[in-house]
Amino acid sequence: MSVSTPSTSPGTDATVTRADVCAAAIADAFKDDGEIFASPMGLLPMLGVRLAKLTSNPDLVISDGESLFLAGVPPLFAKGDVVEGWIPFRKVFDVVAYGKRHVMMGATQVDRDGNQNISAIGDFAQPKRQLLGSRGAPGNTVNNRTSYWVPRHSPRVFVEQVDVVSGVGPRRAKAAGAAAARYNDIHRIVSNLGVFDVGGPDDTVRLLSVHPGVSVDDVVTQTGFELVVPDDVPTSREPTTEELILIREMLDPKGLRFKEVPSD
């Protein structure tokens, strides 16, 4: 894989890191949602959602990840922000089933049809490794807009066919009938190498952009299925100066994002 060279953003003294680019890509996944409950699962998704609320989509509704809707946009894992509502865990299921929600989950495996696995690796009857279990993935993917975050893009994650279907991709949802397909919306897959959707032929995974310093060949090599690659693949955008200031001085001054995407 080619080695990326961090670039310097105009108006700043700091280089733009891969983690910064990933945060901006995640923020872009939520920018057109309007007033919707954003449910980020994981550190970079939390950062990206909060960045979106402060920039491209101020109508996003965010929570503390536990039981409170937040009126402000605090730094990652900070306590004591202004509270504007209460959402105890039992109420989350009401939102999953009936509400306007965009969830960004992790994925141990994603296949070419946009199915996701967080349950087990290997044969389900006797798996090599037991994971989280399907948890909310089936309900999320048949009821709400769903995106995925993959911090370490590799052929072990992007596989031809997932071992267990936890999150349901569009082809499988359509085959299951209208009840499963009506609200199925696999919106974006963001990894540390690029951005993807399921806009390829027959709803297959398609490359939308590669991050700065990453080539299309890098992504193809690190993907375990035949990836749909358009003739012209752009480079993922770098954060603006405003976004960099928000990321570094307000939302993540401790640099926690580098735990998921180490600095180049």
Side-chain angles (χ1 to χ4, degrees):
M1 183 181 299
S2 61
V3 178
S4 63
T5 302
S7 60
T8 301
S9 177
T12 71
D13 295 325
T15 55
V16 178
T17 67
R18 183 73 56 80
D20 299 327
V21 172
C22 289
I26 292 169
D28 286 349
F30 289 83
K31 69 178 182 179
D32 297 323
D33 285 344
E35 188 176 1
I36 197 170
F37 179 31
S39 295
M41 300 181 184
L43 197 153
L44 254 296
M46 288 174 61
L47 177 58
V49 161
R50 295 182 186 203
L51 181 63
K53 184 170 176 64
L54 289 171
T55 55
S56 60
N57 188 0
D59 292 329
L60 278 178
V61 178
I62 65 172
S63 79
D64 65 350
E66 296 180 5
S67 62
L68 302 174
F69 285 127
L70 300 180
V73 186
L76 294 178
F77 307 112
K79 299 294 184 180
D81 199 69
V82 178
V83 174
E84 66 178 0
W86 183 51
I87 182 167
F89 194 63
R90 64 181 180 273
K91 291 293 185 182
V92 172
F93 294 101
D94 294 337
V95 177
V96 171
Y98 304 108
K100 295 171 61 179
R101 178 172 177 258
H102 183 175
V103 55
M104 178 170 274
M105 307 176 65
T108 305
Q109 292 178 327
V110 179
D111 66 24
R112 68 189 305 270
D113 293 319
N115 299 305
Q116 169 243 34
N117 174 23
I118 53 171
S119 294
I121 300 298
D123 187 281
F124 186 73
Q126 192 172 0
K128 297 177 182 177
R129 181 176 297 176
Q130 181 67 49
L131 304 173
L132 293 173
S134 289
R135 299 176 71 86
N140 290 339
T141 51
V142 300
N143 290 312
N144 308 142
R145 170 167 279 193
T146 303
S147 295
Y148 298 121
W149 160 241
V150 178
R152 294 178 180 84
H153 190 126
S154 79
R156 296 178 63 183
V157 178
F158 286 82
V159 297
E160 180 66 31
Q161 183 175 341
V162 296
D163 293 337
V164 180
V165 177
S166 303
V168 182
R171 180 186 293 186
R172 184 175 289 266
K174 291 174 182 177
R182 183 179 181 185
Y183 297 112
N184 179 263
D185 180 9
I186 306 303
H187 182 57
R188 290 289 184 273
I189 303 167
V190 180
S191 82
N192 63 317
L193 298 185
V195 181
F196 312 80
D197 69 2
V198 288
D202 299 320
D203 302 314
T204 50
V205 174
R206 173 179 65 174
L207 179 62
L208 294 181
S209 69
V210 293
H211 297 331
V214 178
S215 71
V216 171
D217 287 343
D218 291 335
V219 177
V220 170
T221 299
Q222 293 299 312
T223 301
F225 54 80
E226 186 176 352
L227 180 66
V228 179
V229 179
D231 292 335
D232 185 17
V233 178
T235 300
S236 305
R237 74 173 185 89
E238 295 185 352
T240 65
T241 299
E242 175 192 6
E243 288 173 318
L244 286 173
I245 292 171
L246 289 171
I247 291 170
R248 294 169 177 177
E249 297 184 12
M250 177 179 176
L251 296 174
D252 186 24
K254 296 181 180 180
L256 299 176
R257 61 195 179 278
F258 300 124
K259 293 183 178 181
E260 287 194 340
V261 182
S263 180
D264 291 322

